[in-house]
Amino acid sequence: MGKRVARGVRSNENLAGWLFVAPVVVILGLFLLLPILMALWVSLTDWNGQGSPFTGRAPFVGADNYTRLFAEEGLARRDFMTSLRNNAYYVAIVVPTQTALALGLALVVNNRMLRGRGFFRTAFYFPSVTSSVAISVVFLFLFANSGAVNALLGMLGVRGPQWFADPRGVLHLLLGAVGVDAPPAALAAGGPFGLSWWDWLSGPSVAMVSIITLVVWTTSGTFMLMFLAALQNVPVALDEASTLDGAGRWQRFRHVTLPMIKPTTFLVLTLGLIGSWQVFDQVYVMSQGEPAKTTLTPAYLSYRTAFRDFDYGSGAAISFVLFLIIIVLTLLQRRLMADREPAAPGRGRWWRRRVPEGG
């Protein structure tokens, strides 16, 4: 009898729980899951924007929109691979740079000896809350051929590049400075996915470098606040114990601070990775993929393919491929940053050898 009563109470609790979360489930289903399924269907059709893709009038093409991106020779594959190359360089520079800068700023404003810490926190965070479109327009003036950046380089005796007119990658520019203007035959002969090895190894263009500078400057403030909250949760006693053990500043940072803020580091890296693969507004305002498609990214290519070329099926396919790339890289990053097995007995961390006594 008691078991039946317990089961009845549990079933009532489960029912009440589902009733409480039902509005949220319905809202998420209508405005999140259903649009994703609709977009997935569009990616399997050749819809050009005329009529509705769900009435059967849009031709069903299956996986053709996906195979054109990887397996078929043509402009679609070349543009997509070019966008992946550009975004790969973008991610490789932006994610570690903004993470290191955010952590450095957090360490600065977390210093108890720093005067005016509130002012510096506000100053470092301010670019993150301003309009990205407005800042992009300002950076267009700064990186113009006669802008402030080239004027500053000229004062240092350096001739500034044509930031949004030169399609060469920075690696090509560096090689050109030492007299290597033409690609070697082995690198120009061929390469994967329709691009030569010379194209894959070009490095980001100077236009992409200006966008990278903008993004790092505007995103580091947000991640700084995350690191600052994590640093303020590091136990003071642990830091003091490591100091009594004779640890220097770098040793305390490496063996105490970094392990304690590892969850926040993973969060910052994950958010940075996702955001860097979704870069759109800065590209739309500053370059629209030019010069010579060296700032073209998958997110902007998806928009251009769907809303300018009216090929909504291919645009949706690019979006889902980008979604899979983000998922795979996030899982890989999680695996790389997973906690390892604890150290063997007798080989514990040096800061655990001394435990501060209470009282």
Side-chain angles (χ1 to χ4, degrees):
M1 185 66 181
K3 292 183 178 179
R4 293 180 180 179
V5 174
R7 290 177 182 175
V9 172
R10 290 177 182 176
S11 62
N12 291 334
E13 290 179 352
N14 292 335
L15 178 60
W18 278 109
L19 289 176
F20 276 115
V21 301
V24 178
V25 172
V26 172
I27 292 174
L28 290 178
L30 288 177
F31 296 101
L32 183 63
L33 181 60
L34 182 60
I36 291 175
L37 296 177
M38 294 170 66
L40 180 61
W41 170 256
V42 171
S43 72
L44 302 176
T45 66
D46 193 21
W47 185 47
N48 61 0
Q50 299 294 326
S52 172
F54 309 108
T55 58
R57 296 181 180 179
F60 180 81
V61 296
D64 289 352
N65 291 326
Y66 294 92
T67 56
R68 281 207 305 266
L69 299 177
F70 295 97
E72 296 182 8
E73 292 284 349
L75 184 62
R77 187 178 75 166
R78 183 173 181 83
D79 284 349
F80 182 65
M81 292 304 161
T82 300
S83 69
L84 288 183
R85 178 204 63 185
N86 298 336
N87 219 141
Y89 280 115
Y90 178 90
V91 172
I93 298 174
V94 167
V95 174
T97 303
Q98 70 184 5
T99 303
L101 180 59
L103 179 57
L105 295 176
L107 291 172
V108 170
V109 298
N110 193 51
N111 189 353
R112 301 173 185 174
M113 303 301 294
L114 179 67
R115 295 183 178 180
R117 288 188 295 173
F119 167 78
F120 287 106
R121 281 198 298 265
T122 304
F124 294 153
Y125 182 64
F126 183 75
S128 300
V129 297
T130 53
S131 171
S132 62
V133 175
I135 294 182
S136 299
V137 174
V138 172
F139 266 66
L140 277 176
F141 287 102
L142 291 177
F143 285 91
N145 294 340
S146 58
V149 174
N150 280 353
L152 180 60
L153 293 175
M155 295 174 59
L156 301 175
V158 178
R159 183 179 179 181
Q162 297 180 349
W163 293 96
F164 291 96
D166 194 341
R168 292 176 296 172
V170 292
L171 297 182
H172 289 179
L173 291 174
L174 294 177
L175 291 175
V178 295
V180 182
D181 295 322
L187 296 180
F193 301 110
L195 296 181
S196 67
W197 287 111
W198 183 252
D199 292 331
W200 283 107
L201 300 176
S202 64
S205 64
V206 289
M208 182 62 81
V209 170
S210 65
I211 296 176
I212 288 172
T213 304
L214 164 64
V215 172
V216 170
W217 183 61
T218 55
T219 57
S220 299
T222 301
F223 297 140
M224 177 203 68
L225 292 183
M226 297 181 184
F227 277 124
L228 183 60
L231 290 174
Q232 292 178 349
N233 285 330
V234 175
V236 178
L238 189 61
D239 190 68
E240 292 176 349
S242 61
T243 303
L244 293 176
D245 273 345
R249 180 177 299 178
W250 168 249
Q251 289 178 315
R252 295 199 305 272
F253 173 74
R254 179 182 176 184
H255 297 290
V256 178
T257 304
L258 284 182
M260 294 296 295
I261 64 172
K262 187 176 181 180
T264 303
T265 304
F266 173 75
L267 175 63
V268 169
L269 289 173
T270 302
L271 293 178
L273 182 67
I274 294 174
S276 58
W277 276 103
Q278 294 177 336
V279 57
F280 172 81
D281 46 352
Q282 294 87 356
V283 174
Y284 179 84
V285 175
M286 299 181 70
S287 65
Q288 297 193 357
E290 301 300 331
K293 301 178 181 178
T294 56
T295 59
L296 188 66
T297 61
Y300 182 76
L301 179 62
S302 174
Y303 159 79
R304 194 184 70 175
T305 302
F307 296 99
R308 289 192 178 182
D309 301 337
F310 300 104
D311 189 357
Y312 290 89
S314 296
I318 294 173
S319 298
F320 277 96
V321 172
L322 181 60
F323 171 74
L324 291 178
I325 290 174
I326 293 174
I327 293 297
V328 170
L329 291 179
T330 302
L331 294 177
L332 179 62
Q333 177 179 290
R334 181 177 183 180
R335 183 177 181 86
L336 292 176
M337 295 192 64
D339 291 331
R340 306 302 179 191
E341 293 295 328
R347 298 179 59 186
R349 297 291 188 183
W350 58 266
W351 69 78
R352 294 173 182 168
R353 293 200 301 264
R354 184 184 185 94
V355 180
E357 297 181 358

